């Protein structure tokens, strides 16, 4: 699914602190600038706690018909979110998924999955990937030309083709360029790895800690992946517009 081709899955950040929820939206927005990200933090009086009304309104605002993923910081926030979902019409409840995942890492991964056009299952899987080892990701994060889920790369398979480039941007593959890289990688239906990890997994890419001057090997088990590898290599060598 191409970015911008259809309404995206919405993401709701639920926290006991209004400032934390707003901050998480601000953080995720750096990597998912057009995704529908809504904060639902604090009580109705701006105190510490959760609000049924805030969460209900956030779910409604986030849902454009493709569903909503809700991430929460503490157990009582989950209970409030579940209550808000239970008060929805039965036809709407199935579109709201309350995901048990780390609020920061899972939220950022979910936001990027929504940004690149992932469906509800893909966005949930992206959030849950924060629990998984980052050396190998086997989660549905994009779709191939037939509409079927394209899964992450098994890094244990030998590469058929590869190209190595050097990072030139001063801060390396930090959050914003990593998200830009993953967005591009997710448009291709061929399997690609970056230094042995799935090129379409934001958390896996960021876990590599690639700094300026790092050697980056782009590889694939598919001989038809050259155009994808070259496009990704060109992006890395562009410096992402950074000085």
């Amino acid at each position: 699914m191409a970015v911008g081709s259809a309404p995206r899955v919405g993401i709701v950040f639920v926290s006991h602190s209004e400032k934390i929820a707003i901050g998480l939206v601000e953080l995720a927005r750096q990597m998912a600038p057009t995704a529908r990200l809504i904060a639902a933090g604090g009580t109705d009086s701006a105190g510490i706690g959760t609000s049924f009304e805030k969460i209900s309104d956030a779910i409604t605002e986030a849902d454009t018909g493709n569903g909503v993923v809700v991430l929460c910081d503490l157990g009582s926030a989950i209970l409030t979110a579940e209550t808000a979902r239970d008060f929805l019409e039965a036809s709407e409840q199935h579109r709201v998924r309350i995901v048990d995942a780390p609020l920061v890492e899972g939220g950022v991964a979910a936001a990027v999955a929504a940004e690149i056009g992932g469906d509800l299952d893909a966005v949930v899987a992206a959030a849950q990937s924060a629990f998984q080892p980052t050396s190998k990701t086997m989660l549905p994060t994009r779709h191939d030309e037939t509409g079927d889920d394209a899964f992450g790369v098994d890094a244990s398979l030998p590469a058929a083709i590869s190209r190595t480039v050097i990072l030139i941007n001063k801060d390396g593959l930090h959050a914003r360029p990593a998200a830009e890289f993953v967005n591009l990688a997710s448009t291709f239906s061929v399997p690609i790895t970056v230094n042995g990890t799935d090129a379409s997994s934001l958390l896996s890419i960021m876990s590599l800690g690639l700094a300026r001057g790092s050697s980056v090997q782009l590889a694939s088990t598919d001989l038809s992946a050259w155009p994808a590898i070259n496009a990704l290599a060109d992006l890395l060598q562009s410096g992402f517009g950074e000085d």
Side-chain angles (χ1 to χ4, degrees), residues 8 10-12 36 38-40 52-70 84-85 87-89 92 95-96:
R8 297 182 180 88
I11 313 291
V12 173
R36 202 167 186 84
I38 310 297
F52 169 85
E53 288 76 15
K54 279 189 174 184
I55 297 172
S56 296
D57 291 345
I59 290 173
T60 299
E61 185 179 353
D63 190 5
T64 60
N66 281 22
V68 177
V69 168
V70 181
R85 181 181 58 186
F87 270 77
L88 294 172
E89 296 291 335
E92 299 174 338
R95 294 204 307 267
V96 179

Side-chain angles (χ1 to χ4, degrees), residues 2-241:
V3 175
S5 63
R8 297 182 180 88
V9 173
I11 313 291
V12 173
F13 292 90
V14 179
S15 172
H16 282 65
S17 166
E18 182 177 37
K19 291 181 179 179
I20 288 177
I22 292 172
L24 287 169
V25 168
E26 182 180 9
L27 172 64
R29 183 74 65 206
Q30 298 302 307
M31 290 157 275
T34 65
R36 202 167 186 84
L37 310 175
I38 310 297
T43 64
D44 297 330
S45 59
I48 298 298
T50 55
S51 163
F52 169 85
E53 288 76 15
K54 279 189 174 184
I55 297 172
S56 296
D57 291 345
I59 290 173
T60 299
E61 185 179 353
D63 190 5
T64 60
N66 281 22
V68 177
V69 168
V70 181
L71 294 107
C72 305
D73 60 355
L74 297 171
S76 58
I78 296 174
L79 292 175
T80 309
E82 289 175 342
T83 301
R85 181 181 58 186
D86 291 344
F87 270 77
L88 294 172
E89 296 291 335
S91 60
E92 299 174 338
Q93 290 181 17
H94 75 281
R95 294 204 307 267
V96 179
R97 305 276 189 89
I98 300 169
V99 181
D100 181 14
L103 186 58
V104 178
E105 295 90 344
V108 167
V112 171
E115 177 76 14
I116 64 179
D119 62 13
L120 189 56
D121 287 338
V123 175
V124 169
Q128 293 173 334
S129 74
F131 284 131
Q132 305 299 320
T134 55
S135 61
K136 186 193 301 183
T137 301
M138 298 293 290
L139 294 170
T141 55
R142 61 190 188 277
H143 298 275
D144 63 20
E145 294 175 355
T146 66
D148 295 329
D149 286 327
F151 285 82
V153 181
D154 186 342
S156 67
L157 297 177
I161 55 175
S162 67
R163 177 180 172 184
T164 300
V165 299
I166 303 298
L167 278 181
I168 64 172
N169 56 309
K170 66 177 182 179
D171 293 323
L173 214 55
H174 61 93
R176 186 195 62 78
E180 186 176 345
F181 179 88
V182 168
N183 286 350
L184 178 59
S186 297
T187 65
F188 300 110
S189 59
V190 289
I192 301 171
T193 60
V194 178
N195 291 4
T197 197
D198 185 3
S200 67
S201 169
L202 177 66
L203 296 180
S204 294
I205 295 300
M206 292 182 65
S207 74
L208 293 173
L210 296 172
R212 184 176 187 174
S214 294
S215 178
V216 183
Q217 184 188 56
L218 303 167
S220 180
T221 57
D222 190 330
L223 292 174
S224 69
W226 273 122
I229 285 178
N230 288 331
L232 292 168
D234 289 345
L235 177 61
L236 291 172
Q237 291 184 316
S238 75
F240 298 90

